[in-house]
Amino acid sequence: MAGTTPLLVLLAALSAFFCHAAALHTLADGGASIDSAAVASAGGDDSKVYIVFTERQPASAGLPETDARAAIASFHHDLLSNDVLDANSNAPDRVVYHYTRSLHGFAARLTVDEKHRLAGKAGVLSIHEKKVYKLHTTRSWDYLGLPQQQNDSTKLPFENDVIIGMVDSGVWPELESFADEGLPPPPAKWKGVCSKNFTCNNKIIGARAYRSGNTTVSPRDDEGHGTHTASTAAGRAAAGASLGGLAAGTARSAVPGARLAIYKVCWPEDCSSEDILAAFDDAIADGVDVISASLGYEFPLDYAEDMMAVGAFHAMKRGIVTSVSAGNSGPSLASVSNVAPWTVSTAAAADDRKIISELVLGSGKRIEGSAVTTVFPDLGQPSLLIDTGSCFPEDINGKRLKGAVLLCGKLGLTSRAAIKSSGADGAIVYPAKDYELDTAFSFPFPLVMVKEKDYGHIIDYYNSTRHAMATVMKSVTVKNAAAPSVADFSSRGPNRITHGILKPDISAPGVDILAAWSPEAPLSGTVSDDRRAKYNIVSGTSMACPHVTGAAAYVKSVHPSWSHAAVLSALVTTATPMKSGEPEAEHAYGAGQVNPVAAPDPGLVYDATEADYVSFLCAQGYNSSELAAMTGRSNANCSTEAKGSAVGDLNYPSIAVPVLNYGVGFAAEFPRTVTNVGSANAVYRANVTTVPGVNVTVTPSELAFSTGKEKLSFTVSVSGTLVPVNGTTGASASLVWSDGKHQVRSPIYVFPYKHVM
Ligand SMILES: *[C@@H]1O[C@H](CO)[C@@H](O)[C@H](O)[C@H]1NC(C)=O
Ligand SMILES: *[C@@H]1O[C@H](CO)[C@@H](O)[C@H](O)[C@H]1NC(C)=O
Ligand SMILES: *[C@@H]1O[C@H](CO)[C@@H](O)[C@H](O)[C@H]1NC(C)=O
Ligand SMILES: *[C@@H]1O[C@H](CO)[C@@H](O)[C@H](O)[C@H]1NC(C)=O
Ligand SMILES: *[C@@H]1O[C@H](CO)[C@@H](O)[C@H](O)[C@H]1NC(C)=O
Ligand SMILES: *[C@@H]1O[C@H](CO)[C@@H](O)[C@H](O)[C@H]1NC(C)=O
Ligand SMILES: *[C@@H]1O[C@H](CO)[C@@H](O)[C@H](O)[C@H]1NC(C)=O
Ligand SMILES: *[C@@H]1O[C@H](CO)[C@@H](O)[C@H](O)[C@H]1NC(C)=O
Ligand SMILES: *[C@@H]1O[C@H](CO)[C@@H](O)[C@H](O)[C@H]1NC(C)=O
């Protein structure tokens, strides 16, 4: 999703200019079955791609996989052939994908009339028009390496039975981060494949690509994003990642021994829902343990309309954890876009290093700016300062401005192409909001963003002398005293689809992250940028998500049988609480900063099964057809299956309490059940922390586990009258269960939803 700030919009728009060097590779047998004829033959100009969920075909049960898939494909073709398609149309020509492995349905090109006729047929559960998702990167990057935290490149831990499926823009497999030295062959449960003309190894054990059913596309990454996220999640420690000669660093991940399976669904222009669903269909059947998807729709979609949520629901049924990014539409409230409770949604936080760039004026005055300026030829050399007022093409086109640094004014009154083609040594801008300076972005030329006030000082200097000069210095890293703090671009809660489920769930580093990069991708994402490298620094919730993916994989390596909910619970209840001054508090950072070291030993977990999520959807108001679309069962029925009556009854590890307004009394109860995953005879006591106006009681307040008594239930009652506190959008409380050894912490966030929806 593109951000809402002008800067992020500008940067996201650049993706349209990516040079896309397509490599011609072929999908190996065993992938999602594809009707390749559909690629060339659409259903006329007014047709669109629709995803159709169908009833499961019992006739295919028990058949060998290829026969079962053929039987299902034939069922799909029959559905279309019988009085649905316009005359002279052939069903196989219209089908883009048959979802046959983990899901039940197909994607096809249909006209609106055909869609209506299909909707009335028996066996069709629901029909969804194709939607376009975007990667959650902000495209800020750099050549700088960050100091190494720990040298673990010689250790190869034991997590090599864990497989992470990366649903992203592919991977560049020949990089050091993906070396397989010392790794045994893939675990026996692995059923995936490697595309033809793509070299897998014991690190990258599978790779597939999906583009509207085209069978000849390659999973190779020429964009950089997928290589970056894959190496962040499970890359080998790669020493010497320093670039630009500025700072040495080691690119590393949480689980260097884990395996990667690549599912390429993102192409320069977009990531399409029918491709994403095909990737989930395969990843689930291939045997991955964790799915990582750093992408999302531009606003939160209802669960049944969000194909990532539908795919993740089917993953959850098989015990697979789905890790997603919260989105880059912050700091607006209610901007978080990946909100299904059967996913882990991650916010982006800044760590303790910040990248800055300095300007030195001819007067000797130094001004701190935000930018990534490195490996450009004339850095550190004084240039003439020129006031062009704006840097729109009409102001600077056709001018040769080599030797000059341009005063461009407000960001947005700028054209990258015009500045680049003028040959200027650099450009100075100020953003609409000072907080946009908190993330260092990079551009195909030295562009420095300064505070509006400082821009005024530069203009004063410019007016004070006939020969104004300015020098753009190379970027440096400085200490970020505010760390960890949530990035302004990181999407905020509340969750628009279900106010009573706290999203994002958790935070992880997502600002200026160093990781591997596709050597074919321009460093600033602009076609005119001919800088290439094997590492890059990028920002976004896209970069935060694979940190949590890695932590989830680490938990799975210790507890292979844990459900999605148990892993989510372990991550949430062990997160390090944050108090970083964000007015949105838990709606900015969720439970806090992910703590991968503590997560495998949480003490207690809040577990949930498919039936619990079905009850949740019923409480959400799902009718039988929406429930059928989500579960894939035509007999799904809330009157027989729902257990609880409120969305807050879901056994979630955090508690969100939407209240009508400040000054209005409220009272709500949250039943919860914890499973003891620590020592058998533990006794846990509840410790509540709260603020004035919010009363929290826990009944019972002591849980004594004994052998054979692993699950115990309690109720959290939250009541009171919310008092406005300056500069905040809600009130933060918490419940911590402690046995003296474990601290099982659930955030409780009370907020007035009236003001934010
Ligand atoms: C295979 O991949 C290589 C490396 O990207 C490429 O140069 C070559 O053209 C590809 N060959 C085919 C047949 O696609
Ligand atoms: C399928 O992908 C290949 C490789 O990117 C491309 O050359 C070809 O034109 C595509 N086919 C269609 C029908 O889009
Ligand atoms: C880590 O340690 C090994 C062995 O001591 C050494 O060869 C390697 O260069 C070190 N890596 C980094 C990034 O310092
Ligand atoms: C600086 O000079 C510009 C013309 O170049 C003028 O429009 C502006 O008012 C001056 N600003 C100050 C602060 O003197
Ligand atoms: C369920 O709700 C959807 C969306 O509101 C609606 O289109 C559909 O017809 C409903 N189905 C039933 C069985 O009521
Ligand atoms: C759901 O179950 C109830 C009770 O058995 C039944 O009356 C109702 O018709 C069922 N609804 C659907 C859509 O199957
Ligand atoms: C309860 O939590 C507070 C705040 O973290 C802490 O100061 C206190 O010691 C805890 N009490 C018990 C009994 O653990
Ligand atoms: C909090 O709950 C206790 C016990 O039920 C009650 O005595 C007290 O008045 C409540 N306080 C507020 C602010 O609601
Ligand atoms: C709340 O903030 C406003 C504006 O920042 C300030 O004028 C006011 O004194 C603050 N009130 C309290 C109770 O802190």
Side-chain angles (χ1 to χ4, degrees):
M1 168 188 343
T4 52
T5 64
L7 176 66
L8 298 179
V9 169
L10 171 69
L11 295 170
L14 287 169
S15 61
F17 299 107
F18 270 17
C19 62
H20 175 62
L24 296 169
H25 306 178
T26 314
L27 193 71
D29 293 338
S33 29
I34 286 165
D35 273 324
S36 50
V39 175
S41 160
D45 287 343
D46 57 346
S47 72
K48 289 183 182 146
V49 172
Y50 291 93
I51 291 161
V52 183
F53 290 119
T54 62
E55 275 174 20
R56 189 178 291 267
Q57 284 307 287
S60 63
L63 295 176
E65 191 178 352
T66 44
D67 296 349
R69 288 164 72 181
I72 297 168
S74 143
F75 164 62
H76 296 156
H77 291 153
D78 289 348
L79 273 178
L80 287 172
S81 302
N82 297 326
D83 309 320
V84 168
L85 296 185
D86 293 334
N88 309 321
S89 278
N90 177 14
D93 289 350
R94 300 292 197 83
V95 176
V96 181
Y97 292 106
H98 298 286
Y99 305 118
T100 63
R101 304 186 72 199
S102 314
L103 292 125
H104 294 271
F106 60 95
R109 286 171 211 277
L110 302 171
T111 65
V112 171
D113 286 346
E114 290 168 343
K115 179 207 146 192
H116 287 321
R117 290 198 289 268
L118 181 61
K121 303 212 69 162
V124 172
L125 298 179
S126 62
I127 306 185
H128 309 263
E129 190 175 327
K130 163 203 177 112
K131 286 192 165 64
V132 169
Y133 290 60
K134 298 279 182 206
L135 293 167
H136 278 162
T137 174
T138 63
R139 306 195 190 290
S140 72
W141 34 78
D142 181 31
Y143 273 35
L144 294 171
L146 297 180
Q148 179 192 359
Q149 286 163 352
Q150 174 186 333
N151 181 358
D152 62 358
S153 62
T154 53
K155 268 197 290 173
L156 198 56
F158 54 92
E159 64 270 1
N160 55 50
D161 276 346
V162 178
I163 304 169
I164 302 176
M166 301 297 303
V167 177
D168 208 299
S169 70
V171 74
W172 194 273
E174 290 86 5
L175 299 169
E176 203 184 332
S177 301
F178 307 120
D180 71 348
E181 188 187 9
L183 277 173
K189 67 184 175 188
W190 176 241
K191 295 193 204 68
V193 298
C194 191
S195 270
K196 285 177 191 146
N197 196 25
F198 186 94
T199 309
C200 288
N201 59 15
N202 288 334
K203 180 71 193 176
I204 298 177
I205 60 173
R208 303 179 188 261
Y210 308 85
R211 193 175 198 177
S212 304
N214 187 336
T215 53
T216 62
V217 292
S218 164
R220 187 171 283 278
D221 179 20
D222 39 27
E223 203 267 0
H225 187 279
T227 301
H228 201 279
T229 54
S231 66
T232 301
R236 302 289 291 271
S242 159
L243 296 167
L246 286 165
T250 291
R252 55 192 293 276
S253 71
V255 279
R259 317 307 179 101
L260 288 163
I262 304 301
Y263 300 88
K264 176 167 179 157
V265 299
C266 292
W267 305 92
E269 63 288 357
D270 59 40
C271 331
S272 281
S273 52
E274 74 277 22
D275 295 334
I276 295 169
L277 206 55
F280 272 88
D281 191 32
D282 279 336
I284 296 165
D286 285 350
V288 306
D289 299 289
V290 182
I291 292 175
S292 189
S294 288
L295 52 118
Y297 195 62
E298 64 178 308
F299 52 81
L301 293 168
D302 195 68
Y303 308 121
E305 290 299 327
D306 178 357
M307 292 307 128
M308 291 225 330
V310 174
F313 191 92
H314 289 267
M316 169 276 293
K317 291 207 253 183
R318 313 281 185 95
I320 299 165
V321 180
T322 300
S323 166
V324 294
S325 43
N328 299 340
S329 298
S332 313
L333 285 171
S335 52
V336 58
S337 71
N338 283 322
V339 294
W342 49 89
T343 62
V344 191
S345 183
T346 300
D351 62 17
D352 61 354
R353 275 177 301 263
K354 186 176 156 76
I355 294 171
I356 61 154
S357 183
E358 270 190 324
L359 280 171
V360 182
L361 303 181
S363 62
K365 189 177 169 69
R366 300 178 85 90
I367 291 177
E368 184 181 311
S370 169
V372 169
T373 50
T374 183
V375 293
F376 291 111
D378 295 320
L379 291 174
Q381 299 296 317
S383 307
L384 208 57
L385 192 60
I386 292 183
D387 186 6
T388 44
S390 89
C391 290
F392 276 147
E394 53 268 37
D395 294 313
I396 56 173
N397 258 3
K399 299 202 175 112
R400 281 293 297 155
L401 297 170
K402 175 111 195 73
V405 167
L406 315 182
L407 281 160
C408 294
K410 192 169 179 173
L411 184 74
L413 301 177
T414 47
S415 152
R416 285 188 189 200
I419 300 172
K420 175 79 182 170
S421 66
S422 75
D425 288 355
I428 304 170
V429 298
Y430 63 90
K433 303 235 167 59
D434 277 355
Y435 65 64
E436 291 170 34
L437 297 167
D438 291 349
T439 304
F441 294 95
S442 97
F443 300 84
F445 45 82
L447 180 136
V448 180
M449 300 206 295
V450 298
K451 288 185 179 148
E452 187 171 0
K453 176 171 64 82
D454 289 335
Y455 193 85
H457 294 152
I458 301 172
I459 293 286
D460 288 347
Y461 160 72
Y462 173 76
N463 283 4
S464 72
T465 173
R466 292 186 58 189
H467 296 289
M469 304 293 287
T471 306
V472 179
M473 307 300 289
K474 221 174 199 180
S475 280
V476 292
T477 56
V478 296
K479 191 155 174 62
N480 175 20
S485 57
V486 177
D488 295 290
F489 61 74
S490 187
S491 290
R492 275 21 180 205
N495 171 347
R496 269 182 200 267
I497 306 301
T498 312
H499 305 339
I501 293 290
L502 187 71
K503 291 284 171 176
D505 293 292
I506 199 165
S507 303
V511 177
D512 298 336
I513 303 301
L514 174 78
W517 195 247
S518 166
E520 273 192 14
L523 283 177
S524 65
T526 310
V527 76
S528 61
D529 189 350
D530 53 15
R531 298 175 301 157
R532 298 288 183 272
K534 288 189 196 164
Y535 298 94
N536 202 354
I537 286 190
V538 196
S539 298
T541 53
S542 274
M543 284 62 241
C545 165
H547 284 87
V548 170
T549 304
Y554 186 48
V555 175
K556 273 287 206 181
S557 73
V558 182
H559 307 287
S561 64
W562 279 15
S563 66
H564 166 86
V567 175
L568 166 75
S569 175
L571 294 168
V572 162
T573 63
T574 60
T576 309
M578 279 167 80
K579 286 224 185 325
S580 53
E582 271 81 28
E584 310 85 15
E586 274 77 6
H587 276 158
Y589 43 70
Q593 184 96 332
V594 65
N595 182 348
V597 176
D601 182 22
L604 306 175
V605 294
Y606 293 81
D607 207 351
T609 61
E610 181 189 356
D612 297 314
Y613 296 112
V614 167
S615 294
F616 163 84
L617 289 170
C618 294
Q620 176 81 13
Y622 268 44
N623 64 28
S624 53
S625 53
E626 291 165 317
L627 198 58
M630 181 60 78
T631 60
R633 288 187 288 119
S634 53
N635 62 351
N637 185 336
C638 284
S639 33
T640 52
E641 292 180 51
K643 289 188 293 193
S645 55
V647 292
D649 292 353
L650 180 66
N651 200 31
Y652 214 61
S654 58
I655 292 178
V657 191
V659 302
L660 195 59
N661 208 343
Y662 293 109
V664 179
F666 64 87
E669 294 203 333
F670 300 90
R672 291 290 187 270
T673 298
V674 283
T675 307
N676 182 17
V677 293
S679 43
N681 293 310
V683 177
Y684 280 83
R685 288 188 183 82
N687 186 2
V688 163
T689 306
T690 189
V691 292
V694 177
N695 212 347
V696 179
T697 53
V698 181
T699 322
S701 61
E702 187 178 292
L703 301 176
F705 294 92
S706 56
T707 311
K709 206 174 184 192
E710 290 81 21
K711 281 182 191 285
L712 289 172
S713 297
F714 58 94
T715 301
V716 181
S717 308
V718 188
S719 61
T721 305
L722 199 59
V723 233
V725 177
N726 245 4
T728 69
T729 61
S732 302
S734 69
L735 161 63
V736 177
W737 285 108
S738 180
D739 64 347
K741 178 167 174 262
H742 303 95
Q743 303 283 314
V744 189
R745 182 179 181 275
S746 291
I748 300 171
Y749 194 59
V750 187
F751 60 99
Y753 66 87
K754 206 176 149 182
H755 291 300
V756 296
M757 303 314 286

